[in-house]
Structure formats: C-alpha cells, structure tokens
Amino acid sequence: MAPSTATTMAAATAGDGEVDGSNAPAPHVMFIPSAGMGHLVPFFRFVSALSSRGGVRCSVVTVLPTVSAAEADHFAGLFAAFPSVHRVDLNLLPFDASAFPGADPFLLRWEALRRSAHLLGQLVAGAAPRVSAVVTDVTLASHVVPITKRLRVPCHVLFISSAAMLSLLAYFPVHLDKNGKSGVGDVVDVPGVRAVPRPCLPQPLPDLDHLFTKQFVDNGRAIVNADGILVNTFDALEPAALAALRDGTVVPGFPPVYTIGLLKSVGSHSGGEKAAAAFAAWLGEQPARSVVYVAFGNRNAVSHAQLREIAAGLEASRCRFLWVLKTTVVDREDDAEVRDVLGDEFLERVAGRGMVTKGWVDQEAVLGHPAVGLFLSHSGWNSITEAAACGVPLLAWPRGGDHRVNAMALVSGGVGAWMEHWSWDGEDRLVTRREIEEKVQEVMADATVRASAARVCEEAAMAVAEGGTSERSMQEFVSKLKAT
Ligand SMILES: O=c1ccn([C@@H]2O[C@H](COP(=O)(O)OP(=O)(O)O[C@H]3O[C@H](CO)[C@@H](O)[C@H](O)[C@H]3O)[C@@H](O)[C@H]2O)c(=O)[nH]1
C-alpha cells in the first residue's frame, strides 16, 4: 500500500495489511471521524493505538475541506506517522448554513457531514478489501449506524467524552419521551448514574428546536443500535456510570461498552515543534510543581473582560503560569495578538514567571512536565484525561457543552476541584480576579488534591498495562473485529 496517499471513493483500498497467525486476512476497520480538535485528537490516538498493535487494517475518512489549519496538520501528522493507515478522502457536499444563523461552526460542520452521510455509505460499500467494521464519531451516529445496518457491517461508536456524558446522551431521549409536553424540566435523573440539574446540561439542550439538541437526541437514540461503544475512560475512574451503562440501568439493551482509556498520543501528530521547544526550555527552568497551566481547549472563546480578570488573578496569585489564550471559536485562526488582548504592561510585569501564547501547544507534553502543578481548565474531556494520566490536579472552570457533566465526573474520580458557581458561557457574571487568585493559590497548596490526582495517575497506568481493565477491553474489541 502506498503510504499516505489519498484515494478516490472507487479506489478505496486498505492494501494487503497484516495477517494474524491463522493466515486469516486482517480485519479492515474504516474510521469516520468528525470535526473539532477535541474530537479528532482522541480519534487519532485510538487509530494509532489500534494500528500499533498490528493485525488490523485501518483506513481513515478525511473530510475535505478541514475546518482549521490545526485539523489539517493533525490529519497530515497521522498519515505521516502511520504510513500503513490508509487515507480515504471525502469531499463534503455544498451545505447552505443560512438556515442556522449564528450557529457554532463545528455544529454546522457536523450537520454538513450528516447530510453527506450517504457518501460515507458508498465509501464503506465500495472499499476493498471489504470493510469488516466501521468506527464512527458519535456526532454522526444517527446517520452512520443505519447505513452500516443496511450494509450489514458492524458499527462501533467512538465516544470522546466521559462515561457520565455518554449516560446522559443515551438516557436523554428516554427522559424526553417520559416527560412529554413538560420538555426537559429541572433535572435529568440518569438512572444509576446521577441527577444532572438543568444548569449543568449543555446550554442548548432545553431548547428542543435547537440544532444541537436535535443532533443530540437523534444520536442518543441511534447509539443504542450500535454494535459497541468505545469510551476514552477507565473503570476505576467512572465505576458507577460504566456499571449502569453495562447492566442496562441507563437504557435497557445498551450495546457493549469498551473502556479504552486513557488514550495517549503514539508517534508525533502535531506541528509547533519550535514553540514546544521554547515552552520545554522555560518549564525546565521552573521548580517542580510550581507552574499553573491555563487552557480552555480549542472551542472556547473567553470574553476580553474575563480574560483581563484571569490575567490579574494569575498575576496576584504570584504563581508561575503558562497560559494558552484563545479569543475565537475556530482553532487558532485568530489574528489578535497577545499584547492587544492583555496589554504590554501586563506582559512586562509577569515576564520570566508567566508565559502567554496563542499558538498550538503540545498540551500532553506540558502536562507531563514535572514543573506543572495545576491545570486551570474548561474541563473538556481530553484535557481531564490528559491531566489524570499525568497526575496533575485540575481546577475545573466549565465553559459550556459537556464541561459541567465532565466536572462532576472529575470530582468523583478524584482528579481535582470544580468551581460549581463560576459562570459559564451565556451567564453574565464575571469571575473576579480575587476569586481566581484565591482559588489558584488554595488548590496549588492542597496536598489532598495532589495526592488524589497522583493515585488516579497510578490507576490510569494500571488500566492500560497488561492485564488492566482497559487493556483487556481493547483485546476484547480486537478479538471481536477478528471474528467478523
Ligand atoms: O494548544 C493546544 C490546544 C489543544 N490541544 C489539545 O486539544 C485537545 C482539546 O480537547 P478538550 O480538552 O476535550 O477540549 P475541546 O477542544 O474543547 O473539546 C471538545 O471535545 C471534547 C471531547 O468531546 C469535549 O469534552 C469538549 O467539551 C469539546 O469542546 C486536547 O487533547 C489538548 O491536548 C493541544 O494539544 N494544544
């Protein structure tokens, strides 16, 4: 198979690949990722993990055009690092977004992808060797699951958030059916897992006509018909949610749940080596556990007024910090300079003890650096899992979407603290510099939180080691693939 070559649909072939000891042809898994770095990063980690094990042919649908430069870089990085992973291009059909004024660009991309889903069906049906199984991103589940059923190809859903969030997704349609005209109500009580109060739900969810809600409900109904769900978590981190999903308490007849986490990068996928070297050099000069790493993911623009409070709070905390600052929703396509946002004077005052960047940072590497002692984060699930894998306590400041549900899971899992009353997107109140200063200082000094995060780190390592829960789950999944 030619490395890293794009194919047209008709020529989609995964090449000869490997065969297992029985001389049976290796199963061919076609991956269908979605958009947004928070979705692509774990998807690529899983493709890398599966590909590295050998004995499975992997092909990855690459949707063109990509939403951002960061996404394009990551696709290129995956195919360069794993030449045996086959690239299958899909050109999106034109999509008129005018019906959804002001909608989030990633939500629009998911909708465009969903409306091109029949093309995905042709890619699956036309591939050679025959596709033995599909792994789809959850955002496309309601379109991909029925297509694969028609084609009689097993379909697994890769769920890139917490098991807690998976339980909410699976149960939410049942909740709506039960509630009838009352709609969402004040609380969604997910059986066997937890009651999620309305203010902790993703913001658009109470609006049943919202595009997000429609996709959420459709996907929630569809995943029940998938052949399995792969979740980037591990049993000791979310025992209650996983047990309730597996034993049918959340939704009767729920498909098998495979815990495959915590996923880590294998090989190099991201650009920004120069920047990474600069941060590593600076981190290398800082005392152990002295730096607060501050980042709110790829999709969370924080208002300028709130950014100024964060800046003042970090400065007043007298802690060292590395801050990845973002002011727009699409990954890194952002023209404002750091000094335009924070001012030269601030940057001069914190010079030497604070680094601020708007570039792409290798977050996994930063969290793995011994100088980092705390992660002030929006609690996107990838950020939580990366911190957990490194034993870095997290101070969660949810901004939107699944963040508050994830924050509940991180607190019960022992990964860190959650500022429940700090406002998130759409709420007016600014979190003040004083609140940020005090909380950062408090959690930095909290030995109990630190010890708990260190314990989770050990448990995470055990889960993926030989005989660990996630390793066994992964083996079970691969055996199932080989049996198809
Ligand atoms: O400069 C950067 C910025 C981001 N990242 C990586 O990008 C990912 C960010 O993921 P996450 O922390 O989950 O945040 P979002 O980008 O906000 O992710 C989206 O997807 C997640 C998984 O579904 C959800 O939990 C989030 O709510 C949703 O916003 C992580 O792997 C980071 O390591 C970097 O490496 N460098």
Side-chain angles (χ1 to χ4, degrees):
M1 177 173 65
S4 309
T5 41
T7 62
T8 60
M9 181 194 76
T13 147
D16 292 334
E18 296 180 42
V19 290
D20 64 18
S22 66
N23 279 340
H28 173 195
V29 185
M30 186 173 275
F31 288 86
I32 307 181
S34 173
M37 290 307 298
H39 288 247
L40 293 184
V41 166
F43 225 91
F44 290 173
R45 285 179 186 159
F46 183 58
V47 174
S48 320
L50 196 59
S51 183
S52 303
R53 297 175 90 92
V56 176
R57 295 180 175 93
C58 297
S59 52
V60 176
V61 174
T62 307
V63 179
L64 299 171
T66 48
V67 178
S68 69
E71 293 198 17
D73 286 352
H74 273 67
F75 269 107
L78 173 76
F79 295 120
F82 292 89
S84 66
V85 174
H86 197 70
R87 173 175 160 174
V88 182
D89 285 355
L90 173 78
N91 289 297
L92 269 191
L93 294 175
F95 170 64
D96 178 11
S98 61
F100 309 102
D104 173 297
F106 292 97
L107 199 54
L108 292 176
R109 166 50 73 101
W110 298 342
E111 191 59 24
L113 259 165
R114 291 158 63 81
R115 292 178 189 204
S116 294
H118 56 288
L119 299 180
L120 291 169
Q122 291 169 28
L123 284 180
V124 175
R130 177 186 71 82
V131 172
S132 352
V134 162
V135 174
T136 181
D137 187 88
V138 65
T139 53
L140 310 175
S142 66
H143 288 261
V144 174
V145 172
I147 288 170
T148 51
K149 286 265 174 241
R150 274 200 299 281
L151 295 173
R152 296 179 192 279
V153 173
C155 181
H156 292 78
V157 173
L158 180 57
F159 192 73
I160 35 54
S161 187
S162 54
M165 192 63 198
L166 174 61
S167 69
L168 177 66
L169 174 71
Y171 181 69
F172 190 68
V174 181
H175 171 80
L176 288 183
D177 294 345
K178 277 189 184 157
N179 267 18
K181 288 203 174 105
S182 316
V184 172
D186 293 335
V187 67
V188 182
D189 194 355
V190 185
V193 186
R194 55 170 55 85
V196 184
R198 187 180 172 114
C200 292
L201 295 170
Q203 290 94 327
L205 220 46
D207 176 0
L208 301 185
D209 294 324
H210 195 287
L211 179 59
F212 175 88
T213 310
K214 288 182 174 167
Q215 292 181 1
F216 194 84
V217 171
D218 287 354
N219 289 327
R221 290 193 198 282
I223 57 171
V224 180
N225 300 319
D227 293 278
I229 316 285
L230 303 146
V231 198
N232 182 20
T233 189
F234 61 97
D235 288 51
L237 183 62
E238 297 192 87
L242 288 165
L245 284 161
R246 285 173 170 149
D247 68 15
T249 304
V250 175
V251 177
F254 200 70
V257 174
Y258 301 92
T259 45
I260 53 163
L262 301 180
L263 293 169
K264 284 187 176 178
S265 293
V266 185
S268 167
H269 296 170
S270 59
E273 275 79 12
K274 272 195 201 146
F279 296 129
W282 180 78
L283 285 170
E285 292 162 6
Q286 313 310 318
R289 301 274 171 197
S290 68
V291 174
V292 183
Y293 172 59
V294 184
F296 295 101
N298 302 292
R299 303 185 41 195
N300 300 279
V302 177
S303 73
H304 282 211
Q306 186 63 78
L307 289 174
R308 283 190 288 274
E309 292 305 304
I310 296 172
L314 289 173
E315 183 181 357
S317 76
R318 296 186 298 284
C319 294
R320 295 172 172 80
F321 62 89
L322 170 56
W323 180 7
V324 183
L325 185 149
K326 188 159 164 41
T327 49
T328 60
V329 173
V330 177
D331 317 326
R332 308 296 151 207
E333 281 160 14
D334 186 348
D335 293 331
E337 293 290 334
V338 168
R339 64 176 162 278
D340 297 338
V341 182
L342 300 179
D344 283 329
E345 287 173 9
F346 167 78
L347 294 173
E348 279 159 25
R349 285 198 305 273
V350 298
R353 77 168 173 92
M355 293 268 274
V356 188
T357 177
K358 295 190 78 194
W360 180 265
V361 169
D362 183 347
Q363 179 168 296
E364 244 185 338
V366 168
L367 288 168
H369 198 287
V372 175
L374 178 68
F375 183 9
L376 175 57
S377 163
H378 66 314
S379 62
W381 190 243
N382 297 298
S383 292
I384 293 174
T385 56
E386 288 161 12
C390 295
V392 174
L394 204 133
L395 175 55
W397 180 356
R399 307 296 312 163
D402 55 348
H403 303 165
R404 283 184 174 166
V405 174
N406 292 344
M408 293 175 178
L410 93 89
V411 171
S412 57
V415 187
W418 167 30
M419 298 315 296
E420 290 184 39
H421 62 284
W422 283 9
S423 55
W424 70 349
D425 291 350
E427 291 171 353
D428 280 343
R429 193 178 82 83
L430 279 184
V431 178
T432 65
R433 55 192 69 193
R434 191 71 198 271
E435 290 172 279
I436 295 165
E437 172 198 346
E438 286 176 359
K439 202 65 203 177
V440 163
Q441 284 177 337
E442 182 189 315
V443 185
M444 271 299 254
D446 190 331
T448 310
V449 170
R450 208 164 42 238
S452 176
R455 177 186 49 77
V456 175
C457 171
E458 280 171 24
E459 289 171 350
M462 277 160 57
V464 293
E466 206 178 325
T469 49
S470 292
E471 173 53 25
R472 281 188 273 126
S473 205
M474 189 80 162
Q475 278 171 10
E476 203 185 315
F477 174 64
V478 172
S479 303
K480 193 172 164 189
L481 288 177
K482 289 185 174 168
T484 52

